Amino acid sequence: MAQWKFRGNVDIACKILSEIIQGGRGDAVIFANLGEINEERGDPATAERLYKQSLDLDPHSESLLCKVANISLTVRGDVNCAKDYYRKAVLLNPENVEAMDQLKCCEASLGE
């Protein structure tokens, strides 16, 4: 979890992270942190977009794959999309029990 969250400076962090991205200096962590802020503030569409931008820079992040899968499933109801992201997370780490369980649930709901 990002250090700024523990200090309660979420508004300032959001402003700074947005400025960094607008300046073309955003990395995977910056996009992910800004995604977390937006998700916690109740804007899952923006969070999903930012998580995907983070994944473009760090495609091997299990946690980001699961975050996108979770938004796809719970917010958009897109089981196929969620299944694909959970599958990628499981391929990266077959020991990821949460991703494996969610993948099985997605497959079962699709009759696979």
Side-chain angles (χ1 to χ4, degrees), residues 14-64:
C14 187
K15 182 177 186 255
I16 291 169
L17 294 171
S18 295
E19 288 173 358
I20 291 170
I21 289 171
Q22 288 171 357
R25 300 181 316 270
D27 62 14
V29 173
I30 300 233
F31 283 105
N33 284 338
L34 196 53
E36 281 186 25
I37 290 171
N38 281 278
E39 187 171 10
E40 288 178 11
R41 288 184 168 174
D43 186 357
T46 300
E48 182 180 29
R49 179 180 53 79
L50 290 162
Y51 291 151
K52 286 180 177 180
Q53 287 177 287
S54 184
L55 279 170
D56 287 343
L57 299 169
D58 182 10
H60 303 291
S61 172
E62 274 178 72
S63 64
L64 286 171

